Amino acid sequence: MKRAALILLAILALAAWLRVRHLGELGLVVDEGYQALAVRGILAHGVPKVDSGRLYTRGLPFLYVEAAVAKVRGLDEVALRLPSAVFGVAAVAMAAVLAYTLGGWTVGWLTALVMGLSVWEIELSRYARFYTAFQGLYLLALWCFYRGFLEGRRPHRIGFWFTAVAAMAMHELGVMLATCFLIPLASSTVSKARKWACVAGAGGVVALWALYFKLLAPLQALGDTPPLLVEEPGGSGGVLAWFAGMLKTYLI
């Protein structure tokens, strides 16, 4: 066990070095500019207000993590990218834990090695956006689901709901965690009562996803321009139109 942990730590150390080295040498590129403006708004106003007056709320928790780092070392490329790099290493560790849970240490090591050395994963971890945070939280939610709902461990069931909400706050595709509850539906050994509970669980994930974006409305209303939100449920077009508008607004 100790040897296995040391091997994993060595892989994680290599992954961290590949993600952190020369982190600030390249200037901000593409959407990193949005992050910089939003973080500057947090430092100045307490909310992620950009130059247009609108509040930028995508990956909102991640913006505040970046702002905390920027508060300590100043707003620069390293401050904006360091959280992504740290979450990138955490995502490698979480993938290894999930793989170990499902297939043992060898599978865990191989998973960590592939993710740790992946050029795509390295570049994503060196990009000042919330994607690696979302990735790590999504993997953690999957692990909690497996432990909690398939192995029957109550603390992990509670952990799933917390990590699912955190993942959805990082990225709208966190709603896809609802599909986890479809897994038991295909089993002939699962009782009807438990299958209905799974359907309710899937609905709960979708409901929390919708609620989170509803709760952003008061925050966005603080901006100087009308918030980019769709109609309230029950308004013109009804709930289905609201849900379709939500998908269009946040996923397209």
Side-chain angles (χ1 to χ4, degrees):
M1 183 68 175
K2 185 177 179 180
R3 176 174 171 270
L6 288 175
I7 293 175
L8 179 57
L9 286 175
I11 296 173
L12 293 177
L14 176 60
W17 180 76
L18 291 172
R19 284 155 176 77
V20 175
R21 61 190 290 266
H22 307 309
L23 195 59
E25 289 193 0
L26 180 66
L28 298 179
V29 296
V30 197
D31 289 351
E32 288 183 319
Y34 292 125
Q35 301 292 122
L37 292 174
V39 170
R40 187 181 67 182
I42 291 174
L43 295 174
H45 310 291
V47 291
K49 181 183 289 189
V50 298
D51 291 351
S52 66
R54 186 180 299 281
L55 268 61
Y56 184 77
T57 57
R58 286 201 73 194
L60 187 60
F62 188 75
L63 288 172
Y64 281 92
V65 173
E66 288 181 313
V69 178
K71 185 74 173 177
V72 173
R73 63 160 288 124
L75 181 58
D76 60 7
E77 289 84 357
V78 174
L80 291 170
R81 291 171 180 156
L82 186 60
S84 183
V86 172
F87 277 113
V89 178
V92 174
M94 197 60 245
V97 170
L98 179 60
Y100 161 73
T101 302
L102 297 175
W105 275 115
T106 301
V107 179
W109 293 333
L110 289 175
T111 300
L113 197 60
V114 169
M115 280 192 66
L117 299 181
S118 166
V119 174
W120 169 255
E121 289 288 339
I122 293 170
E123 287 300 310
L124 202 63
S125 298
R126 295 171 62 83
Y127 188 48
R129 295 282 277 173
F130 42 80
Y131 302 119
T132 55
F134 167 67
Q135 184 182 50
L137 288 167
Y138 198 98
L139 288 168
L140 178 57
L142 290 178
W143 180 74
C144 287
F145 180 86
Y146 179 82
R147 289 292 201 188
F149 291 95
L150 299 184
E151 293 188 342
R153 303 186 183 190
R154 188 170 183 273
H156 292 82
R157 288 200 296 270
I158 298 172
F160 168 81
W161 291 108
F162 280 102
T163 52
V165 170
M168 288 186 283
M170 288 295 179
H171 196 285
E172 300 81 7
L173 285 178
V175 71
M176 295 304 295
L177 287 167
T179 61
C180 293
F181 289 96
L182 302 181
I183 298 172
L185 299 183
S187 175
S188 59
T189 62
V190 176
S191 66
K192 287 186 177 180
R194 189 179 175 193
K195 287 184 178 181
W196 278 114
C198 289
V199 172
V205 172
V206 176
L208 287 172
W209 175 79
L211 177 62
Y212 172 76
F213 289 105
K214 283 277 291 176
L215 292 175
L216 285 182
L219 178 60
Q220 291 195 351
L222 296 175
D224 298 333
T225 54
L228 184 62
L229 290 176
V230 295
E231 295 181 23
E232 298 287 330
S236 177
V239 174
L240 290 179
W242 170 79
F243 188 74
M246 184 76 78
L247 288 174
K248 182 178 179 181
T249 298
Y250 290 102
L251 300 184
I252 297 177

